[in-house]
Amino acid sequence: MLSEWQRNLWLRVKALIHRRRLDRDLEDEVSFHLAQREQKYRSEGLPPETARHATRRKFGNDTLLREQTRDMWTFNWIETLWQDVCYSARGLRKNPGFAAVVVFSLALGIGANSTIFSVLNAVLYRPLPFDQPDRLMMIWETEYGHKTQPPVAEIIDWNRQNNVFEDIASSSRTEAEPLGGGGGLPELIQTQFVSPNFFNVLRVRPLLGRIFLTSEIHDQTQTVVISHAFWMRRFGGDPNVLGKTFTVSGVLSTVVGVMPRGFAPFYGDKIDLWYPINPAGDRYSKRDDRGWLFAFGRLKPGVTRDQAEAEMAIIARRLEQTYPKTNKGIGVIVEPLHEALYNWAGRVLYPLAAAVGFVLLIACANVANLLLSRTETRRKEHAVRASLGAGRRRLMQQVLAESGLLAFLGAALGVVLTFGGIWLFRLLAGDFPNSASLGVDRNVLLFTLAACLLTTVLSGSLPALLASRPDLNLALREGEHRMTSGGRGRIRQALAVVETALAVVLLAGAGLMIHSVLRLMQVNPGFDPHNLITAATSVPEGGKYLDRVPGGSMEKTSPLVNAFYQQLAANLAALPGVESVGTISFLLGGDFRDFYILGQPSPPPEKMPGAMYNEVSPSLFHTLRIPLKKGRFLDSHDTSSSPWVVVVNEAFAKRYIPHEDPIGKRLLLRYRGYGVDEPQPRQIVGVVGDVRHVGLARTTPEMIYAAYFQQPAAYPGGTVMPHLHQDLVIRTASPLAGREAEFSAAIKKAVAKLDPDQPVTDITTADRLLASSIEDSRFYLQLLATFAAMAVLLAAIGIYGVMAYFVRERTREIGIRIALGAQGRSVLGMIAQLGLKLTCLGIVIGLAMALGLTRLVADLFAVSTSDPATIAGVVLGLLVIALFACYFPARRATQVDPMVTLRYQ
Amino acid sequence: MSDKPQPPGELLRDTLDMLILKTVSRGAMHGYAIAEHIEETSEDVLRVGEGALYPALHRLELRGLLSAEWGTSENKRRAKYYRLTAAGRKWLGEESAHWTKMTSAIGRVMETA
């Protein structure tokens, strides 16, 4: 059964379609009534004339009744609204320049908001693209309060003991691994280790073939599931790909399945393939092998997150009792997967959303200004209409129709700008989670619609309120309609102040950001980055370079690894134009080792100090031009047969050996997370200058540089990576500019000559590498600066509008002043004084707001909140812009011809 | 637009609606007959112009309390006949119960005062 309003609507729609019939029917009905009544009167003996009049009298005002009835049936309010919209459109067409500026400023505001919303939507609001994503939970371990990731053995216990999850799966982070030649050039591919139930928990089926069996082991040969993108790229979408083999990290890999397009959990990485983790394999049996796996589970139906966490906590306590050695102090946190993966993005994106919100507010203030000045000039019209009986609602509706029209035009153009904005955002941001799915979807359109409505109300309500209360007496008196009541002028001026304040906030934010990025660009990286080429190479964790020691997690390197890097460095150094060549595990970053200093009391395991760790060639310091502070550099005499030595940086010496001479101290390194010490200690032979190994924006880490050729034969688990992976740094003898391609080709050729299966990637210059280390800040800066520029532009338009109106309404006064002998300068001064007053007020309010708000961004990007020079720059810049916006109206004022203005009245 | 306050002295809208529905409850009637019947039985209480009946009839039709169809009158003219719908009957029942309760209450107050 239809509800009342549905039925009502249906009848009205029907009436709308059969409009003429409705009119005719109503006509018939009324005339039937009149005829019946008249006939009755006549039958009672009244004369025809009298009968007709009596009938009319008795019936009342039939025109009004007909109108009332018709209103009831039709969408009358829509029609009057439409009339108002048409009226507004005509008004705007008369002043197309200003209308275009206002619409465009709204479009900028709405477009920028929709763009940021579409990013929020893609990253934060859209559910994960899996079946019933809200039941997927990330399960963290906590170690002394810090989140860590559980070892495989723990996940097995969880799966056995819990009753709250259907299943718990795990996956490693995405890792880059070299893919050997054979069917293509060697390249680095993105891989993940996953538990066999990984795909089941996510409820995703392969496009082709199958997923992993629980019995499959990653060892000398392995099965892999490949991604759609990899299938297309490497195999051209060959339907017979199943059973094909290739070598990854030197291991022969057989394709057993292909996943559907777009499946790439969870970071939007372009994952190429998945290896199975076989939980039964002894490689994963260690209970303290923490920190490399994400565990996530699917809740059973009806189980809440709290219930799950409560039960997991009980299991954690039980495990603590069973395995006190490895599980002491280990707790569990259950967190919705979506939150665990993407919540960090909110802290970055919400300040941006606030910034674009400010831009839209400024645009709204501009529209309100325009509407106020229009209602001002139409006060007489409003008064006349009000005297003739127009209701307040009707008068308000007309102003709101105008703001609605502007907002709608702005929103329509804003959607177009959103497409552009998204394109730009992608261009600037590069890869971020779900960047592929970023776009204008239903949610974004709904958001735009909401922004449009909000704009209508924000910009229209104040002018509408004023228009609905016309002063009938004042407005109808001739000659006085050019005087504005002071109150209304002040409202407009207040709007200009607000606009300026908002612009100051954005400008201050952007200014502080610029300041900090400039400062970062001047940070001394600790080495000479000019004329330095860097590249990454890695020998595979398997194949001929690496043997797995049976019955444990140890991996034994083959002498081929040392030979490879020794030969490669020699070959590269022999290239023409190369001054020197060095290698280091990770130029930006490093592995970690815990350590203790021999001769000092050894701390308990959980309090053991740690430092960053890199294996380097002796020539590295010389090549990078890292200054020596004490002792000596590593050199070619530090071979496998001589005592093991290390060089540390000043930060290390200052923090860990502050009161003694560090030279001669001996460190025993421990593989972090494995509880295994190195077979022999290493003696500190030198202290070198600090290098910003983790990027210009971060503080220098304490660093241990170990000699590449002084290494154990076998490493536990993944700790072998700093040995297998080496970044090449090559200093050229002459300026590098313009010869990068030449060197790049030569480096590739040199690597391929040694081992055609080894890829060499990321060939770039150290200058560029450093720049990319502050890319996030730079990207943020670009966005903020863009929004600030918009805000300033819009605020300037606003100030211009207010000043122009101020001049226009004072034309007569100015004319009289000039007629009485006022100089152009004093007229100019009068205008400038008001402009300055408004701007300064705005700046003061804005600065107060900025000091509070920039703190939000400051924490994220290490921005100082109060840099006096920047603030002064912002203030000065805004003053100049504001004065510029005042200049044109002021000049017009000085050119007022007193005769014309006086005659005009 | 249907919620405008009514000028004093006019029959309250709900009361007019109730009278109309009550009248039509006897069977399908056209507007003139409804007006005649209300006038006769109410002894001219309804001093509004007869025309006021029509917006009320249309409003009730839109609310689904009345249904309407075109027919031919006793003197062979085209006329619109209104009939009570099930919803209209229900509304009338509720409203007249309410009315009775209220009038008797008022009556008691007036007598005792």
Side-chain angles (χ1 to χ4, degrees):
Chain A
M1 178 154 170
L2 291 177
S3 72
E4 193 173 302
W5 71 265
Q6 276 173 321
R7 191 191 135 81
N8 191 312
L9 187 72
W10 168 236
L11 284 171
R12 280 170 178 235
V13 169
K14 225 163 59 176
L16 193 69
I17 297 167
H18 305 291
R19 184 108 200 221
R20 287 176 56 194
R21 206 176 75 193
L22 178 78
D23 284 348
R24 208 183 55 222
D25 283 355
L26 191 58
E27 193 59 45
D28 281 4
E29 202 175 5
V30 171
S31 64
F32 172 77
H33 183 108
L34 295 175
Q36 293 284 102
R37 174 64 66 204
E38 200 178 326
Q39 201 183 10
K40 191 181 169 210
Y41 282 150
R42 282 165 79 167
S43 66
E44 284 169 1
L46 288 177
E49 192 68 9
T50 325
R52 202 164 65 243
H53 282 140
T55 305
R56 286 277 165 201
R57 230 176 6 255
K58 191 160 177 67
F59 194 81
N61 185 348
D62 66 319
T63 316
L64 182 67
L65 293 174
R66 255 176 262 188
E67 251 173 34
Q68 276 180 9
T69 315
R70 206 177 291 125
D71 279 2
M72 217 178 278
W73 281 95
T74 52
F75 299 93
N76 196 39
W77 60 273
I78 290 187
E79 282 163 38
T80 60
L81 188 66
W82 180 243
Q83 281 168 9
D84 286 341
V85 169
C86 289
Y87 182 82
S88 308
R90 278 201 299 276
L92 293 179
R93 261 212 308 267
K94 267 191 221 152
N95 198 351
F98 204 35
V101 169
V102 167
V103 166
F104 188 70
S105 56
L106 275 182
L108 273 183
I110 292 176
N113 273 280
S114 295
T115 303
I116 295 300
F117 175 83
S118 65
V119 177
L120 279 168
N121 182 38
V123 179
L124 283 176
Y125 301 154
R126 212 178 283 156
L128 294 172
F130 307 111
D131 187 40
Q132 295 188 316
D134 51 325
R135 309 207 67 73
L136 292 170
M137 297 285 149
M138 183 78 90
I139 311 168
W140 302 98
E141 271 196 345
T142 55
E143 191 173 7
Y144 302 108
H146 294 289
K147 271 184 190 173
T148 64
Q149 293 138 330
V152 175
E154 199 106 312
I155 300 172
I156 297 171
D157 287 333
W158 287 349
N159 249 334
R160 273 197 205 119
Q161 300 189 16
N162 91 85
N163 296 306
V164 285
F165 288 103
E166 280 177 3
D167 205 353
I168 298 172
S170 54
S171 110
S172 70
R173 277 170 235 272
T174 316
E175 284 166 19
E177 287 191 69
L179 175 67
L185 292 170
E187 59 173 325
L188 272 186
I189 55 169
Q190 305 295 321
T191 63
Q192 276 179 347
F193 285 86
V194 299
S195 58
N197 60 356
F198 176 77
F199 303 102
N200 291 337
V201 172
L202 294 177
R203 295 193 181 154
V204 178
R205 292 178 184 290
L207 192 67
L208 281 180
R210 61 170 176 86
I211 55 173
F212 299 124
L213 307 175
T214 38
S215 57
E216 275 163 341
I217 302 177
H218 166 54
D219 224 341
Q220 295 312 321
T221 63
Q222 64 190 351
T223 53
V224 295
V225 169
I226 63 174
S227 74
H228 192 273
F230 185 72
W231 182 41
M232 286 292 154
R233 191 174 77 230
R234 197 78 184 188
F235 297 99
D238 179 6
N240 298 317
V241 66
L242 300 180
K244 294 234 159 139
T245 58
F246 48 85
T247 27
V248 191
S249 292
V251 181
L252 191 67
S253 309
T254 309
V255 177
V256 295
V258 179
M259 292 313 284
R261 178 198 287 272
F263 177 78
F266 293 106
Y267 291 93
D269 294 341
K270 285 146 194 68
I271 294 174
D272 294 306
L273 57 87
W274 293 271
Y275 304 121
I277 295 170
N278 176 15
D282 52 10
R283 187 162 180 231
Y284 303 113
S285 59
K286 287 185 72 74
R287 295 205 64 89
D288 53 4
D289 184 14
R290 296 200 155 80
W292 68 287
L293 277 182
F294 288 103
F296 61 95
R298 185 178 284 279
L299 287 179
K300 283 184 177 168
V303 176
T304 67
R305 169 213 181 157
D306 290 345
Q307 288 168 342
E309 196 165 70
E311 172 154 333
M312 293 307 289
I314 294 170
I315 295 172
R317 269 202 298 281
R318 199 183 298 148
L319 291 175
E320 198 172 359
Q321 283 159 10
T322 323
Y323 307 100
K325 210 177 136 211
T326 55
N327 283 48
K328 193 163 177 298
I330 300 284
V332 176
I333 290 179
V334 175
E335 187 181 17
L337 188 59
H338 193 279
E339 260 176 48
L341 292 174
Y342 300 135
N343 256 15
W344 58 270
R347 285 185 316 157
V348 180
L349 290 174
Y350 284 122
L352 286 182
V356 289
F358 280 13
V359 173
L360 185 58
L361 276 181
I362 296 176
C364 285
N366 273 348
V367 178
N369 249 325
L370 170 74
L371 294 175
L372 275 174
S373 65
R374 285 173 64 80
T375 51
E376 204 68 54
T377 50
R378 289 203 311 232
R379 278 170 76 208
K380 200 167 160 193
E381 173 199 330
H382 289 140
V384 170
R385 288 184 59 182
S387 333
L388 291 179
R392 285 187 65 180
R393 258 178 65 151
R394 194 71 178 70
L395 290 176
M396 288 177 78
Q397 181 182 310
Q398 201 199 314
V399 178
L400 284 173
E402 191 155 349
S403 72
L405 180 68
L406 288 168
F408 179 78
L409 290 175
L413 189 57
V415 170
V416 178
L417 292 186
T418 304
F419 282 99
I422 288 175
W423 175 81
L424 200 67
F425 194 93
R426 274 226 188 94
L427 198 72
L428 293 177
D431 248 6
F432 61 93
N434 299 341
S435 61
S437 68
L438 180 62
V440 175
D441 64 359
R442 204 179 50 127
N443 287 351
V444 174
L445 288 179
L446 280 176
F447 173 83
T448 309
L449 185 69
C452 175
L453 291 177
L454 188 73
T455 304
T456 307
V457 174
L458 278 181
S459 60
S461 49
L462 191 65
L465 212 63
L466 291 177
S468 73
R469 287 190 312 213
D471 183 338
L472 302 188
N473 280 325
L474 192 76
L476 287 179
R477 255 182 279 148
E478 200 51 57
E480 276 180 279
H481 63 279
R482 298 193 63 79
M483 293 291 292
T484 12
S485 47
R488 292 186 186 201
R490 263 205 287 285
I491 287 175
R492 254 202 320 278
Q493 292 172 9
L495 281 175
V497 169
V498 170
E499 284 183 62
T500 313
L502 293 175
V504 166
V505 174
L506 286 192
L507 206 55
L512 291 170
M513 212 51 217
I514 290 172
H515 173 76
S516 64
V517 169
L518 285 179
R519 211 182 46 208
L520 284 180
M521 289 187 335
Q522 286 160 3
V523 162
N524 177 11
F527 66 97
D528 177 7
H530 307 307
N531 301 324
L532 201 61
I533 300 177
T534 67
T537 52
S538 186
V539 296
E541 196 181 353
K544 62 183 175 183
Y545 292 103
L546 196 75
D547 281 323
R548 200 141 286 143
V549 180
S553 65
M554 298 299 279
E555 288 175 321
K556 193 165 174 297
T557 57
S558 131
L560 286 174
V561 181
N562 286 0
F564 176 83
Y565 281 116
Q566 197 163 22
Q567 193 58 50
L568 181 60
N571 289 359
L572 290 172
L575 288 176
V578 170
E579 190 185 288
S580 66
V581 175
T583 69
I584 175 169
S585 303
F586 305 96
L587 183 57
L588 282 185
D591 204 3
F592 287 95
R593 295 283 188 271
D594 293 336
F595 65 89
Y596 57 94
I597 301 165
L598 294 185
Q600 294 185 357
S602 74
E606 70 268 13
K607 290 216 179 103
M608 215 162 156
M612 214 171 236
Y613 169 88
N614 270 309
E615 295 182 13
V616 302
S617 74
S619 53
L620 179 87
F621 304 100
H622 168 62
T623 306
L624 288 181
R625 297 187 179 152
I626 300 174
L628 181 69
K629 299 293 181 180
K630 223 174 222 177
R632 66 167 177 93
F633 286 134
L634 298 175
D635 61 34
S636 51
H637 302 104
D638 300 319
T639 61
S640 54
S641 52
S642 58
W644 284 11
V645 294
V646 290
V647 162
V648 297
N649 67 357
E650 283 188 302
F652 183 98
K654 208 176 286 170
R655 170 143 181 214
Y656 294 120
I657 318 170
H659 306 301
E660 295 167 75
D661 185 3
I663 307 293
K665 295 276 176 218
R666 296 195 304 156
L667 307 177
L668 189 57
L669 304 194
R670 171 173 289 187
Y671 300 103
R672 178 169 287 188
Y674 288 85
V676 179
D677 290 336
E678 281 195 334
Q680 51 173 296
R682 299 173 186 266
Q683 185 167 38
I684 298 174
V685 294
V687 178
V688 297
D690 290 341
V691 173
R692 300 247 171 180
H693 277 291
V694 285
L696 293 177
R698 312 250 217 96
T699 49
T700 311
E702 293 85 33
M703 181 67 80
I704 301 170
Y705 300 98
Y708 188 80
F709 297 112
Q710 297 181 333
Q711 297 300 331
Y715 293 78
T719 60
V720 71
M721 278 322 287
H723 193 65
L724 300 182
H725 180 280
Q726 290 279 292
D727 282 336
L728 310 173
V729 291
I730 300 155
R731 186 167 294 284
T732 59
S734 48
L736 181 57
R739 294 163 60 210
E740 290 161 36
E742 181 191 322
F743 278 109
S744 166
I747 293 167
K748 278 186 184 154
K749 212 167 125 198
V751 175
K753 214 169 101 193
L754 273 179
D755 185 341
D757 277 347
Q758 290 327 305
V760 49
T761 57
D762 303 327
I763 302 177
T764 182
T765 65
D767 280 324
R768 232 178 277 141
L769 207 60
L770 286 178
S772 74
S773 78
I774 54 172
E775 202 133 272
D776 286 352
S777 305
R778 201 187 288 230
F779 164 63
Y780 216 69
L781 160 71
Q782 283 164 334
L783 283 182
L784 266 184
T786 309
F787 299 149
M790 284 184 194
V792 170
L793 180 72
L794 296 182
I797 291 173
I799 295 172
Y800 170 82
V802 170
M803 295 314 297
Y805 193 82
F806 177 75
V807 169
R808 207 169 341 129
E809 75 186 1
R810 300 270 170 108
T811 305
R812 189 162 177 230
E813 180 192 332
I814 295 169
I816 293 171
R817 281 181 183 226
I818 293 176
L820 293 178
Q823 295 290 309
R825 273 231 317 275
S826 75
V827 172
L828 212 62
M830 177 180 107
I831 311 292
Q833 202 183 357
L834 176 70
L836 269 179
K837 199 178 82 186
L838 298 183
T839 312
C840 289
L841 204 56
I843 286 175
V844 169
I845 297 173
L847 282 181
M849 285 166 74
L851 286 181
L853 288 175
T854 43
R855 250 169 258 276
L856 295 177
V857 199
D859 294 344
L860 287 176
F861 295 100
V863 176
S864 68
T865 50
S866 53
D867 173 52
T870 307
I871 300 290
V874 167
V875 170
L876 206 67
L878 240 143
L879 273 177
V880 168
I881 289 166
L883 281 179
F884 201 65
C886 292
Y887 174 68
F888 293 102
R891 202 182 54 177
R892 206 177 308 137
T894 60
Q895 287 161 355
V896 164
D897 180 348
M899 290 320 287
V900 174
T901 47
L902 293 178
R903 222 177 284 136
Y904 174 65
Q905 282 300 316
Chain B
M1 82 209 78
S2 55
D3 287 320
K4 272 188 200 146
Q6 288 176 326
E10 272 184 31
L11 210 53
L12 286 173
R13 198 176 67 199
D14 276 2
T15 320
L16 179 60
D17 288 355
M18 192 169 66
L19 289 181
I20 292 172
L21 291 178
K22 182 75 190 164
T23 309
V24 175
S25 68
R26 301 183 311 159
M29 290 169 96
H30 49 66
Y32 176 74
I34 297 170
E36 284 269 292
H37 181 261
I38 292 179
E39 238 158 90
E40 277 164 20
T41 48
S42 69
E43 296 164 4
D44 261 2
V45 164
L46 217 181
R47 252 175 303 167
V48 233
E50 287 181 339
L53 191 64
Y54 286 92
L57 281 171
H58 285 254
R59 192 173 55 236
L60 290 169
E61 185 186 350
L62 273 170
R63 284 176 63 189
L65 302 180
L66 288 179
S67 65
E69 59 188 29
W70 285 88
T72 319
S73 73
E74 316 85 75
N75 53 5
K76 303 285 179 269
R77 285 194 61 160
R78 193 167 166 265
K80 194 177 179 188
Y81 283 87
Y82 293 90
R83 189 189 298 279
L84 203 60
T85 64
R89 197 170 297 284
K90 184 161 166 262
W91 189 87
L92 179 63
E94 285 164 10
E95 205 63 7
S96 52
H98 178 234
W99 177 257
T100 319
K101 217 165 103 187
M102 189 138 109
T103 44
S104 66
I106 293 173
R108 277 198 303 276
V109 171
M110 297 309 279
E111 275 161 27
T112 53

